[in-house]
Amino acid sequence: QVQLVESGGGLLQAGGSLRLSCRASGRTLRNYHMSWFRQAPGKEREFVAAINWNGASTYVTDSVKGRFTISRDNALNTMYLQMNNLKPEDTGVHYCAAKEAFRNYVDPEYNYWGQGTQVTVSS
């Protein structure tokens, strides 16, 4: 079973940048598709970005297109989310998630989750 730990969150002003990291342990990351989700206060958790097991395919939700980039380094067992031009509506707890590579990459269901890292963007 893979364990996931996020880091890199923080408090910053609108227009700033952050890079979130998700480090995996227990299993090699190359066996998993990965994603980022976020949950704003009082709202349901929402999908942000996904990357397939070898990094050859990625996609992001429309609200972050052109601003966020998902990537991974399987040699370091780590996935990243580069967030640029942050907006107050990006505020929330950001979670990384994983599912085995034999599962459907575009399926929104994930079975391993980290504890989350808080991102707060002030206007």
Side-chain angles (χ1 to χ4, degrees), residues 38-70:
R38 66 187 180 190
Q39 187 167 20
K43 295 188 177 181
E44 293 190 354
R45 188 166 57 194
E46 64 172 356
F47 168 81
V48 176
I51 187 166
N52 79 323
W53 70 275
N54 65 358
S57 179
T58 65
Y59 66 99
V60 299
T61 194
D62 286 347
S63 63
V64 307
K65 277 183 181 176
R67 300 189 298 122
F68 290 13
T69 303
I70 187 172

Side-chain angles (χ1 to χ4, degrees), residues 10 17-18 21 25 29 38 59 90 98:
S17 297
L18 277 177
S21 298
S25 61
L29 200 59
R38 66 187 180 190
Y59 66 99
D90 296 318

Side-chain angles (χ1 to χ4, degrees), residues 1-111:
Q1 181 169 332
V2 64
Q3 291 83 44
L4 305 173
V5 178
E6 303 93 336
S7 62
L11 170 65
L12 72 167
Q13 291 188 326
S17 297
L18 277 177
R19 188 176 80 157
L20 304 184
S21 298
C22 173
R23 175 125 172 87
S25 61
R27 292 287 188 271
T28 180
L29 200 59
R30 72 182 73 242
N31 293 327
Y32 297 86
H33 301 313
M34 305 289 294
S35 274
W36 287 98
F37 289 75
R38 66 187 180 190
Q39 187 167 20
K43 295 188 177 181
E44 293 190 354
R45 188 166 57 194
E46 64 172 356
F47 168 81
V48 176
I51 187 166
N52 79 323
W53 70 275
N54 65 358
S57 179
T58 65
Y59 66 99
V60 299
T61 194
D62 286 347
S63 63
V64 307
K65 277 183 181 176
R67 300 189 298 122
F68 290 13
T69 303
I70 187 172
S71 62
R72 64 192 295 163
D73 187 335
N74 285 345
L76 297 179
N77 251 22
T78 304
M79 175 183 66
Y80 305 98
L81 186 66
Q82 178 65 44
M83 306 186 295
N84 298 327
N85 190 22
L86 280 158
K87 303 176 180 181
E89 51 263 43
D90 296 318
T91 293
V93 179
H94 285 63
Y95 299 91
C96 70
K99 60 183 172 184
E100 292 86 351
F102 64 79
R103 301 184 188 277
N104 189 328
Y105 164 54
V106 297
D107 187 323
E109 296 296 321
Y110 284 79
N111 47 342

